[in-house]
């Protein structure tokens, strides 16, 4: 069977003769195949070139984004560290407030749970990641720990606020400041040798030496039960603070209050002197609870008195 052939007639413009080209069907198929292959190859090359350019552009953009995120993570890490220091300061103040609110300290195990705790999901595999991922995971762990600790402190402050509100009047009546500034020369004792009488007898208060005329202040709110001369004590003031608490201030040079007068914490009630059985100007300060003398230093902030 004869092969089929195709005739292509070329007709030029003008008077030039026409030309006829005969091609086989196989040749046309080969030419079409080659053309298709070239066309597809050109498309693939173009796609690869464009794709590479896009990948390079995306890589550059991702690198810039990673650098920006690294800077932000570093800044966030610094802020978290600062926040941790602030919460630590608040925690120390919370401990003091709980004492004033007559609350027990937070159990160490509870406090440890507020600081530590289980890792967040995915953090345990962070070591296998990039430094940026590990740093971000560290910040997440620190931030979660700080959130737990802040929640613990918030609960503690709420409990202290409730306790303080319920004991507000009692706190106002509880001695909490040193009545005068000076040097502790004689401590509370069940028995000591009297400096003037030279006999052994209980010392139911503390002696604070101070210059003559130094102000003596009420350590808490109350009502003056007596203000006058007492044998041995000299010029003396006694304040009834309620709740079974009474304070006495002896050896004053001058009294500034009278019996029945209501005073507030920090109000001047007398001046330091050496009246009564005293070897020099000083304040003899006593605290009685339910009729029993107790050590006044239990009701004095440590930085308010200098030990001789």
């Amino acid at each position: 069977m004869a092969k089929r052939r195709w005739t292509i007639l070329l007709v030029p413009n003008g008077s030039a003769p026409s030309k006829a080209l005969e091609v086989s069907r196989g040749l046309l198929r080969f030419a079409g195949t080659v053309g298709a292959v070239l066309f597809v190859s050109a498309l693939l090359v173009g796609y690869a070139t464009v794709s590479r350019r896009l990948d390079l552009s995306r890589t550059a953009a991702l690198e810039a984004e990673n650098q920006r995120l690294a800077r932000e993570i570093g800044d966030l890490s610094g802020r978290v560290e600062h926040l941790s220091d602030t919460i630590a300061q608040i925690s120390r103040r919370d401990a003091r407030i709980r004492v004033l609110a007559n609350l027990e300290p937070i159990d160490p195990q509870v406090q440890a749970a507020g600081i530590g705790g289980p890792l967040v999901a995915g953090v345990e595999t962070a070591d296998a990641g990039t430094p940026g991922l590990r740093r971000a995971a560290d910040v997440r762990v620190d931030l979660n720990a700080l959130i737990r600790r802040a929640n613990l402190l918030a609960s503690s402050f709420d409990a202290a606020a409730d306790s303080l509100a319920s004991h507000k009047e009692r706190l106002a009546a509880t001695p909490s400041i040193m009545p005068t500034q000076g040097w502790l020369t004689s401590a509370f004792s069940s028995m000591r040798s009297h400096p003037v009488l030279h006999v052994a007898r209980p010392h139911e208060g503390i002696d604070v030496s101070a210059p003559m005329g130094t102000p003596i202040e009420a350590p808490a709110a109350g009502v003056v039960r007596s203000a006058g001369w007492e044998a041995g004590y000299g010029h003396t003031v006694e304040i009834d603070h309620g709740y079974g608490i009474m304070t006495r201030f002896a050896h004053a040079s001058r009294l500034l209050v009278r019996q029945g007068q209501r005073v507030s914490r920090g109000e001047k009630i007398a001046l330091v002197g050496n009246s009564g059985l005293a070897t020099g100007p000083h304040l003899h300060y006593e605290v009685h609870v339910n009729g029993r003398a107790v050590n006044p230093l239990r009701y004095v902030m440590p930085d308010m008195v200098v030990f001789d």
Side-chain angles (χ1 to χ4, degrees):
M1 179 178 180
K3 295 182 179 179
R4 297 182 62 181
R5 302 179 68 85
W6 295 81
T7 301
I8 301 174
L9 183 63
L10 301 178
V11 180
N13 292 327
S15 59
S18 299
K19 294 181 179 181
L21 296 177
E22 291 186 359
V23 293
S24 66
R25 187 174 183 182
L27 182 61
L28 287 176
R29 288 180 177 178
F30 176 75
T33 302
V34 171
V37 170
L38 292 176
F39 178 74
V40 172
S41 298
L43 288 178
L44 291 176
V45 171
Y47 175 79
T49 302
V50 173
S51 178
R52 179 174 175 78
R53 290 181 179 178
L54 289 176
D55 288 342
L56 291 175
S57 177
R58 290 174 181 173
T59 300
L62 288 175
E63 182 65 24
E65 181 69 11
N66 286 337
Q67 292 178 0
R68 184 183 67 82
L69 290 176
R71 290 193 298 270
E72 291 183 358
I73 290 175
D75 181 63
L76 181 60
S77 179
R79 294 185 181 184
V80 168
E81 184 176 354
H82 179 71
L83 179 59
S84 179
D85 293 338
T86 301
I87 290 183
Q89 293 178 2
I90 295 175
S91 180
R92 290 190 290 269
R93 293 181 181 179
D94 174 68
R96 299 190 186 102
I97 292 174
R98 290 183 71 87
V99 172
L100 292 176
N102 199 29
L103 295 175
E104 293 293 329
I106 297 178
D107 187 277
Q109 293 183 350
V110 175
Q111 196 170 38
I115 298 173
L119 295 177
V120 295
V123 172
E124 58 273 13
T125 61
D127 289 341
T130 63
L133 288 177
R134 290 196 296 270
R135 194 170 185 182
D138 290 339
V139 171
R140 290 178 61 192
V141 172
D142 292 341
L143 191 57
N144 279 303
L146 290 176
I147 291 173
R148 290 193 297 271
R149 194 170 184 181
N151 290 335
L152 179 64
L153 286 174
S155 299
S156 179
F157 278 128
D158 287 341
D162 293 340
S163 180
L164 287 171
S166 62
H167 295 88
K168 182 178 180 180
E169 293 184 359
R170 185 179 183 89
L171 287 172
T174 301
S176 60
I177 65 172
M178 192 65 187
T180 193
Q181 298 289 328
W183 295 264
L184 180 64
T185 55
S186 185
F188 179 86
S189 176
S190 58
M191 194 66 65
R192 70 152 190 178
S193 177
H194 194 280
V196 177
L197 301 177
H198 302 292
V199 295
R201 60 192 303 180
H203 190 236
E204 297 185 337
I206 60 174
D207 291 339
V208 181
S209 294
M212 183 74 72
T214 301
I216 300 173
E217 300 175 349
V223 177
V224 177
R225 187 167 73 172
S226 66
W229 183 273
E230 289 191 29
Y233 287 109
H235 294 296
T236 302
V237 175
E238 291 184 356
I239 300 177
D240 184 357
H241 301 280
Y243 303 97
I245 303 174
M246 187 274 291
T247 53
R248 176 181 289 144
F249 313 85
H251 306 303
S253 61
R254 180 184 174 191
L255 304 182
L256 304 179
V257 293
R258 62 183 183 279
Q259 183 178 1
Q261 181 177 339
R262 180 171 292 277
V263 295
S264 57
R265 180 180 286 116
E267 184 176 345
K268 294 179 181 179
I269 58 174
L271 303 178
V272 170
N274 60 353
S275 59
L277 295 178
T279 57
H282 72 282
L283 166 66
H284 176 79
Y285 174 44
E286 297 179 7
V287 177
H288 293 255
V289 178
N290 296 323
R292 184 174 63 88
V294 298
N295 188 355
L297 291 181
R298 290 173 50 188
Y299 298 91
V300 176
M301 298 298 288
D303 58 348
M304 297 300 292
V305 60
V306 178
F307 290 85
D308 191 12

